[in-house]
Structure formats: structure tokens, C-alpha cells
Amino acid sequence: MAEKKQAKSKIKIIKPLKKESKQTKELLSDLNSKINNSEVSEKDKRLTLVKTHKKITNLLLQTIPYLLFLFILDVVMLSVITVLFILSTFILDGTAADIVRYILLGVSAFMLVKFTYMNWFSKNLYFKKIIVFKYKSKVDRQKFKAVREISFTPIWFLIFFVASNFYITILVNFEIQQNFVSPSNGQSKNIVLIWAILRTTIDMMLLPSFLNSFNKIADKSKAIDANYVKLIKDQYFSNKSLFEDVEFEENYLNLKFSKNSLISKNGLFILVNKDDLTRPDQGRMIEINNEILDRYKEIWESYVDLLENRMKAKFNKATVHKLFWLERIYDTIFLDLFEI
């Protein structure tokens, strides 16, 4: 008994997201009290539904500082390029205009190279990610971490990325054509050749990048995975208790949903190998897995609440658009969970 206590005392764990879970329950409770209150107008019910689930989904999203910095840098650089273009084209002239023009071309070239690199290597990631759970612990003095992070990129971010670089490309071509390759300058054939090579290089660099971005936008616009929609999302009214009739398979490798013969992906839960872990360690790992399962249950309850209340009222197009992207956050989590 003493050895068991000593072994268990070596296990320390930080329980994150407990505050978020409490807030989620409170928000849903307040929402349903208003939804079921006959004295509350239908308009207020609709507004409350959107606001509440926006708060809940914001609890699932975590900002990535360096990606946010890169996004802010893009906005600043776009503003700088616009100001430089206005100065060189409409305000300054002579040597001052030429200096500003060269600075403009230098900054624009940097942005185009950055755009090409980020698209070719799929680095144009949104500055927020979905955090389903995050555990940090120590098992027998060994650091242990269990995290589920999911990339999530809204379509407006991809459109901004494409539009901003399309805008820069137009400005670069205009500046070079207007000031360096203008027929009025009587340039030699060498200059024309250099411009042709430069133009072809820009086109070859940017065309695959734009195609990659357009493909991503098209993917975002497509309907969600058909099997997920048919088996889970469209059947939410029959799947309210989806996570109640569930059990872990051997060694806690994944979940088995008996109701509709679904399983979760491998690797979402902590593998509990009885040959390598002491009994206290096994018990704690099983406890963590149950806590992760509870986290998915809470998120599923929130999602079902949104789907149910969404069908009870009519919304204008702007609100429908907001609800669509709120649903996509939930969908992203469960598409990541199920092996469909």
C-alpha cells in the first residue's frame, strides 16, 4: 500500500481547459433559458444563439503569436506599398520619385517571394488553431504531454492572401512597364529581353502559388465529407447520446461507438500498455483518457445544441453565413476524431 502511494505521488498533472469547460456549460445554460423563455423575442433568441456559440468556439481557438505577427506584418507591408505607390506616381517627381520607386519595388519583391515560399511549402496558416485538449504531466519523473491541436483556416484568410499578392503583382508590373520598359524611353533590345525574362520568372513563380491558393479555397467551399454528414451531422437528432454509448478498445488505442459502428482515429488517446506501466501509472493514464473523452462529450453537446436551435428559427443570409463557419469549427473537430 505504501509503495502504491509513493508511486502515485510521482504523477503530477496540469488540468487545462477546466475553466473553458465551466464557461461553456454556463453559456449553454443561459442560452437555453432564453430560448425556452416565451417572453424573449425571436430576434433576441437568434442573436443570443449566434453570440453564445461564437463565445464557445472562441474558447476552442488559440492564437499563435508568430503567425499573428506575420499576418500583421503583411497588413503593414501592404499599407506601406500602397503609400509608396501613391507617393511615386502622384505626388513626387524626379530623383525623389525614383528613390521611392526603387524602395517600392524592393518591398514588393520581398512580399512576392514570401508569398511564393509560403504557398509552395503550405506555410500560409491561419494565426489561430483549435485546441481540443492539452495535458502536461509527469509519470515516474518523466515529462509527459498529450495535446490535440487542429489547423483551421477560414476562407477569408485565403482570399486575403490571394487578393493582397494579386494587388502587389499588378503594382510591380505597372511600375516596371511604366518607368523602365516604356516605349517612349527608346530602350534597347537588351532591356526588352531583360523585362521578358523577369516577367516570365514572376509568372512561373506566382502561377503555382495562385493555383495552390485557389485549390484551397475550392476545398473550403466544398461540402463536408459525405460520410460524416450522412452518418453524424444530418442525424444529430438521433445522435444526441452518441458519446454515451462508447467504449475504449484494447490498450485505449481508440474509441468504439456501438450505436452506429463508428471508431475514432488511432493516436488521439493515450496508449495504456499494461506491460510497461505500473498499476498506479495505468490508473492515471486511464483517468486522463476518460477526461479527454469527457472533453469531446462537452464539445458534442455544444454542437448538438447549435444544430437543434438553428432549426427552430429562420435567419437572414449574414447570420446563416456566421452559423456556417461556427459549424465548420465543430465539424473540423469531429472530422479529426472519427475514422470515416
Side-chain angles (χ1 to χ4, degrees):
M1 187 72 177
E3 289 180 0
K4 185 177 180 180
K5 285 185 176 180
Q6 187 178 2
K8 194 170 184 178
S9 66
K10 294 178 182 178
I11 303 174
K12 296 181 180 178
I13 185 162
I14 300 172
K15 293 183 180 180
L17 302 176
K18 291 297 179 182
K19 182 180 179 181
E20 286 83 347
S21 298
K22 183 179 179 182
Q23 288 177 328
T24 299
K25 291 178 181 178
E26 291 174 352
L27 287 168
L28 287 176
S29 177
D30 292 341
L31 170 63
N32 286 300
S33 64
K34 287 186 179 180
I35 294 290
N36 297 321
N37 189 343
S38 58
E39 296 181 1
V40 178
S41 67
E42 291 299 319
K43 182 179 179 181
D44 287 340
K45 289 180 181 179
R46 292 195 295 268
L47 290 174
T48 304
L49 175 66
V50 176
K51 288 180 180 178
T52 299
H53 279 280
K54 190 172 183 180
K55 290 179 180 177
I56 292 173
T57 52
N58 282 340
L59 294 173
L60 293 166
L61 296 172
Q62 178 178 307
T63 300
I64 309 169
Y66 84 92
L67 289 179
L68 177 60
F69 170 77
L70 290 178
F71 175 73
I72 294 172
L73 180 63
D74 285 342
V75 174
V76 171
M77 297 293 268
L78 277 173
S79 302
V80 169
I81 288 171
T82 302
V83 171
L84 291 174
F85 175 74
I86 293 172
L87 288 173
S88 64
T89 306
F90 302 107
I91 298 176
L92 301 176
D93 54 20
T95 304
D98 290 338
I99 293 172
V100 171
R101 190 169 291 117
Y102 282 116
I103 296 173
L104 167 61
L105 291 174
V107 175
S108 298
F110 167 78
M111 290 294 288
L112 291 179
V113 170
K114 174 178 173 291
F115 169 66
T116 303
Y117 167 78
M118 294 184 73
N119 262 297
W120 280 8
F121 297 98
S122 299
K123 299 292 185 181
N124 53 334
L125 302 175
Y126 186 49
F127 52 83
K128 288 187 178 182
K129 57 187 173 183
I130 299 172
I131 304 293
V132 183
F133 59 85
K134 182 186 290 185
Y135 289 96
K136 292 180 181 179
S137 60
K138 283 188 176 181
V139 178
D140 196 20
R141 297 181 181 178
Q142 298 295 320
K143 289 184 178 180
F144 172 79
K145 189 176 182 180
V147 183
R148 195 61 181 178
E149 300 177 352
I150 311 172
S151 296
F152 174 75
T153 305
I155 196 169
W156 71 261
F157 181 78
L158 294 173
I159 293 174
F160 165 81
F161 212 81
V162 172
S164 61
N165 286 276
F166 183 70
Y167 167 70
I168 294 171
T169 305
I170 291 175
L171 294 188
V172 169
N173 284 330
F174 174 82
E175 285 291 340
I176 295 176
Q177 185 71 41
Q178 183 76 10
N179 298 284
F180 299 98
V181 199
S182 175
S184 61
N185 292 337
Q187 77 281 6
S188 66
K189 292 182 179 180
N190 290 334
I191 296 177
V192 176
L193 178 61
I194 292 171
W195 166 238
I197 295 172
L198 180 62
R199 181 68 179 272
T200 303
T201 302
I202 293 174
D203 291 343
M204 290 183 67
M205 286 176 57
L206 292 179
L207 184 59
S209 298
F210 279 120
L211 288 176
N212 188 19
S213 295
F214 287 135
N215 287 334
K216 287 182 180 179
I217 293 173
D219 289 340
K220 291 288 179 182
S221 301
K222 289 179 182 178
I224 303 165
D225 187 278
N227 288 332
Y228 168 78
V229 171
K230 292 176 182 178
L231 294 174
I232 299 172
K233 185 171 183 177
D234 284 352
Q235 304 293 330
Y236 70 89
F237 45 83
S238 297
N239 282 326
K240 288 183 181 180
S241 59
L242 179 63
F243 282 84
E244 300 302 326
D245 188 17
V246 65
E247 59 184 7
F248 286 102
E249 293 197 317
E250 187 178 1
N251 293 334
Y252 289 78
L253 188 62
N254 54 23
L255 282 174
K256 181 180 179 182
F257 297 80
S258 302
K259 174 184 276 189
N260 40 20
S261 300
L262 291 172
I263 59 171
S264 69
K265 294 176 182 175
N266 294 342
L268 292 177
F269 298 88
I270 304 168
L271 184 66
V272 181
N273 191 332
K274 296 180 180 179
D275 295 330
D276 297 331
L277 295 173
T278 63
R279 284 187 177 275
D281 289 352
Q282 290 176 33
R284 187 57 192 135
M285 294 301 99
I286 291 171
E287 186 180 344
I288 295 174
N289 279 329
N290 287 325
E291 290 173 1
I292 293 173
L293 175 57
D294 288 340
R295 180 64 178 157
Y296 278 110
K297 286 181 180 179
E298 291 167 2
I299 298 171
W300 178 250
E301 288 172 5
S302 299
Y303 191 25
V304 169
D305 179 272
L306 173 62
L307 295 173
E308 281 186 332
N309 288 312
R310 181 200 62 181
M311 299 302 295
K312 293 178 182 178
K314 293 183 178 180
F315 301 93
N316 58 37
K317 289 184 178 179
T319 306
V320 168
H321 182 76
K322 291 178 182 177
L323 288 172
F324 172 79
W325 285 109
L326 291 176
E327 289 179 26
R328 286 310 301 268
I329 294 174
Y330 288 115
D331 290 330
T332 302
I333 293 172
F334 294 112
L335 280 168
D336 177 71
L337 171 66
F338 292 106
E339 186 69 70
I340 299 179

